[in-house]
Amino acid sequence: MSSPSAPTADAVDGLPAAPPWKTAAWRAGLCFLFFVAGWIASAASHPSIATACFLASCIVGGIDLVEDTIAGFKNRTLDIHFLMLAAAAASALLGHWQEAALLLVLFSGSSALEEYANHRTETALASLFRDVPKTAREVLPDGSLREIPVADITAGMLISVPPGQQVPVDLRITSGHSECDESSLTGEAQPVSKHPGSEAMGGTMNLSGAFTGEALRPASQSALQQIMDLIRNAQQRKARAQNFTDRFGTRYTLLVLSLIHISEPTRQAEI
């Protein structure tokens, strides 16, 4: 799974580049359309047209596979992309163009769905980071307000939060009443009432009245930051099964290919 990344800009005209999932979706869609056209031509007894459509489907659906397989060769790894490409190529060499195209239709479709899921995750994370307040209003001993960077907030500081703004850090409310939207953190759809003694979590939205609260911890230790750190770590960490697959996948693939190579002369001799 790809990790979240900042939006890229096109090097030629300065326009934002299309998200990877859209490119993958277009390729998967074209791959499917060519396959359907080939299937219709085959049913209508036009084998040459059917073969051309299946070939086009294989080319469109195999672009990403070829790129990923080449990247795997450079890293001296053989993964699922190599196996799928080998299976499709073998089917094509045997003259089974329809099977080869169907294989690539399924794989390109699943790749497009995976890219879309990654895009949704990246968009949600980017929204969290974008909406995090960069400054806060500290209440000084004389009652005046001073705007300071959120990163400078320490436990015990008094922070004023006006209505319509996000709570910068985790606070224990000392004065004021309001309601906060905590859906971004807890999923709670209804606003939560806040009053002196209540805790307001960093990253939630103050909806109605202004309140003042005592900072419970620095911004780097807030509930919002911990959630984002957990998501980041989960994306970078691989599951135990995936680590096992990555470790033995290349060796297993080489072993299977070697066995096929060894058994082929025997099978030919028996024929």
Side-chain angles (χ1 to χ4, degrees):
M1 187 179 195
S2 60
S3 59
S5 57
T8 59
D10 189 274
V12 177
D13 53 17
L15 296 177
W21 76 268
K22 289 189 176 182
T23 302
W26 274 109
R27 289 178 179 175
L30 285 175
C31 182
F32 176 73
L33 289 177
F34 280 126
F35 174 80
V36 172
W39 181 79
I40 294 174
S42 178
S45 300
H46 296 292
S48 58
I49 298 177
T51 301
C53 290
F54 290 140
L55 175 60
S57 179
C58 290
I59 292 174
V60 174
I63 293 176
D64 287 337
L65 275 178
V66 172
E67 294 176 351
D68 292 333
T69 300
I70 292 175
F73 285 159
K74 292 180 179 179
N75 295 327
R76 298 183 179 181
T77 59
L78 299 177
D79 54 15
I80 184 63
H81 301 96
F82 168 77
L83 294 176
M84 294 296 291
L85 184 62
S91 297
L93 290 174
L94 293 174
H96 301 297
W97 288 99
Q98 182 173 350
E99 288 76 5
L102 178 59
L103 189 66
L104 293 176
V105 165
L106 296 175
F107 192 80
S108 61
S110 63
S111 296
L113 290 175
E114 182 181 7
E115 289 287 352
Y116 179 67
N118 291 339
H119 174 73
R120 289 291 299 272
T121 302
E122 293 171 5
T123 302
L125 280 176
S127 177
L128 281 176
F129 279 112
R130 183 179 61 250
D131 295 338
V132 170
K134 301 299 187 294
T135 61
R137 300 199 300 177
E138 179 189 6
V139 181
L140 300 177
D142 60 1
S144 61
L145 300 177
R146 180 181 65 171
E147 190 165 322
I148 61 172
V150 171
D152 293 344
I153 297 177
T154 59
M157 282 186 174
L158 290 180
I159 304 298
S160 175
V161 184
Q165 290 192 9
Q166 276 197 354
V167 180
V169 295
D170 296 344
L171 302 173
R172 178 177 289 108
I173 298 176
T174 57
S175 64
H177 295 76
S178 183
E179 291 183 331
C180 288
D181 179 4
E182 299 181 349
S183 59
S184 60
L185 296 183
T186 65
E188 175 61 50
Q190 297 297 323
V192 179
S193 177
K194 299 297 179 182
H195 50 79
S198 300
E199 290 189 8
M201 293 184 290
T204 59
M205 179 66 69
N206 181 21
L207 298 178
S208 51
F211 59 79
T212 298
E214 178 185 355
L216 297 176
R217 55 191 66 89
S220 59
Q221 300 175 13
S222 67
L224 175 61
Q225 187 61 48
Q226 291 179 21
I227 290 175
M228 291 191 290
D229 290 342
L230 285 173
I231 296 174
R232 291 291 197 191
N233 292 334
Q235 288 184 322
Q236 295 173 1
R237 261 198 326 262
K238 293 183 179 180
R240 186 175 302 176
Q242 186 176 356
N243 283 325
F244 176 83
T245 303
D246 291 344
R247 185 181 305 170
F248 296 103
T250 298
R251 298 175 185 176
Y252 172 78
T253 302
L254 292 174
L255 176 62
V256 172
L257 292 177
S258 299
L259 291 175
I260 293 175
H261 180 72
I262 294 173
S263 63
E264 183 63 20
T266 303
R267 191 180 70 85
Q268 293 292 340
E270 292 176 352
I271 295 177

